[in-house]
DNA sequence: CGAAACCTTGAGCATGTTCAAAAATCGTGG
DNA sequence: CCACGATTTTTGAACATGCTCAAGGTTTCG
């Protein structure tokens, strides 16, 4: 077909992972890349003193574990029960050299991840707590929402470490938005967006 | 040769840029990628309200302008007078399909940038001002230093926007490090590292 | 039903920001 | 070469945003 889909799928191996299970850990040899079939993972880095940064949440259809070096630069943990397809690096390298479609596709995936990560630099470097949470909710709305409601599969701690905030600030910002009628919180995991316009204004995007 | 070097160089066109000149601007059509021959550029994003995030400094040998989309996601400005080699996207795409070496190399470049950017997420999301400046100085020492001294070609404002701080905090942190005998500042642009060990301790890297 | 984990709220605090001004540096022209 | 203005950097003082510490409430799950 040219885009390498058929060749790629042929080398994939399905895998399961329980909640909080680890797909890979920082420092390990990176022998696979993965695509998420179902569930959500957090990709994160840890400080020796316990500080944590969640780089991204990998969700249905997302690729993860593509690395520059031979070793893992971060850890991947299951936020929910997870199913992934694993593509062994060895097979992949062979495909890259034989099928320009696969190389292009991988490059495209890497560049899309690079673009997303750059947006997050702006968020972490220059946005306020309110802007960060607004951006996060809009991102989740886009990725998983039905337009109005979001089911957050990750904890407040995960969100805090994703946004460079504390659990308390995340919680307080949620409460403030609820107070202002921007959203409703039927439960801690369920968010109903009531005023998307305000959320977009508050997200600080141009 | 297989790594695509010869093919790649053949399509490159040299270009010059004066101090503060713009190589490309956010929103423009992305028709080229570039490699820096001499000088330093800042790759940054701007908010409508003037807030700025410097994503990276591109220096000798670095590639920049590789984008997922057809449009520029950021702006590239010359911090010093700059010489680059421009590789037209059209020619590049052709090379990718014909030479697996070029595809591999581009993928490698993109993945290296992704890895660097992920380290910066940790810096912006979780590090203190002192840790940020220490990390920055160590990075500069590695990229341009002779082991002890660094010549900073960028302003305090550029450094602040790179580290997600204000000019004042950057300046104050420099002063504190000078006070503590970690470094000397013969001029604002010249930094002499006097205690690399402490700097590494303070950078918060594991 | 009870324990554990998670989430929310409150009060005081700290880091880094803002606003302001002084000091140093740089470029330019007399 | 020095004087001048412009720009950049440094320093100071007050302030604010988000953090820490602490307690109470809620959900989850065995």
């Amino acid at each position: 077909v040219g885009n390498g889909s058929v060749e790629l799928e042929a080398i994939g191996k399905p895998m399961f992972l329980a909640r909080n299970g680890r797909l890979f850990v920082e420092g390990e040899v990176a022998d696979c890349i993965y695509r998420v079939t179902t569930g959500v993972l957090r990709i994160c880095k840890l400080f020796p003193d316990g500080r944590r940064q969640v780089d991204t949440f990998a969700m249905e259809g997302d690729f993860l574990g593509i690395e520059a070096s031979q070793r893992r630069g971060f850890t991947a943990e299951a936020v929910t029960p997870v199913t992934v397809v694993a593509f062994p690096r060895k097979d992949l390298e062979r495909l890259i050299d034989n099928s320009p479609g696969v190389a292009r596709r991988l490059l495209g995936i890497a560049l899309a991840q690079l673009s997303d990560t750059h947006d997050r630099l702006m968020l972490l470097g220059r946005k306020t707590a309110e802007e960060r949470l607004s951006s996060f909710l809009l991102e989740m709305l886009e990725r998983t929402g039905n337009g109005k409601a979001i089911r957050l599969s990750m904890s407040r701690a995960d969100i805090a470490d994703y946004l460079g905030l504390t659990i308390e600030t995340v919680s307080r910002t949620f409460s403030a938005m609820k107070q202002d009628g921007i959203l409703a919180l039927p439960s801690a995991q369920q968010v109903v967006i009531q005023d998307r316009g305000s959320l977009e204004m508050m997200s600080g995007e141009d």
Side-chain angles (χ1 to χ4, degrees), chain A:
Chain A
V1 283
N3 71 353
S5 289
V6 174
E7 296 98 313
L8 195 61
E9 298 312 319
I11 63 168
K13 293 169 179 58
M15 284 180 61
F16 300 88
L17 202 61
R19 194 160 190 275
N20 288 320
R22 290 179 160 182
L23 190 57
F24 53 80
V25 176
E26 198 172 340
E28 275 181 11
V29 172
D31 55 353
C32 276
I33 76 168
Y34 304 90
R35 190 188 52 220
V36 181
T37 310
T38 59
V40 178
L41 298 107
R42 58 175 172 263
I43 315 302
C44 55
K45 286 200 152 139
L46 283 158
F47 270 46
D49 64 8
R51 278 180 288 179
R52 191 177 71 149
Q53 177 65 44
V54 173
D55 290 349
T56 187
F57 293 108
M59 301 167 52
E60 192 178 325
D62 294 338
F63 280 82
L64 65 146
I66 314 181
E67 305 256 1
S69 95
Q70 293 297 110
R71 304 240 155 218
R72 294 291 178 201
F74 23 80
T75 299
E77 295 167 329
V79 171
T80 64
V82 156
T83 331
V84 299
V85 181
F87 303 97
R89 198 159 170 162
K90 232 182 278 182
D91 298 337
L92 213 56
E93 307 246 325
R94 186 172 38 73
L95 272 192
I96 290 173
D97 290 335
N98 297 331
S99 159
V102 171
R104 270 193 112 102
R105 185 153 176 222
L106 276 176
L107 185 59
I109 292 166
L111 289 177
Q113 291 187 6
L114 194 56
S115 171
D116 290 347
T117 310
H118 274 120
D119 289 340
R120 289 178 46 57
L121 287 183
M122 191 86 195
L123 181 143
L124 294 172
R126 288 294 177 224
K127 285 190 181 178
T128 64
E130 191 178 65
E131 289 172 335
R132 292 180 198 204
L133 191 61
S134 303
S135 301
F136 171 72
L137 291 174
L138 288 169
E139 183 195 338
M140 286 301 129
L141 205 54
E142 192 133 313
R143 292 178 77 180
T144 67
N146 55 26
K148 285 263 177 194
I150 313 167
R151 162 107 206 150
L152 297 175
S153 40
M154 66 292 288
S155 69
R156 294 290 186 268
D158 288 337
I159 298 172
D161 287 339
Y162 183 60
L163 300 180
L165 300 169
T166 58
I167 299 174
E168 293 93 330
T169 299
V170 170
S171 184
R172 266 186 260 273
T173 308
F174 264 121
S175 298
M177 287 179 172
K178 184 175 159 185
Q179 196 65 27
D180 295 350
I182 309 286
L183 49 78
L185 290 167
S187 82
Q189 332 300 335
Q190 284 191 290
V191 185
V192 180
I193 306 303
Q194 293 176 323
D195 186 349
R196 193 188 220 275
S198 294
L199 208 61
E200 278 163 1
M201 290 291 295
M202 290 196 310
S203 77
E205 305 285 319
D206 33 15

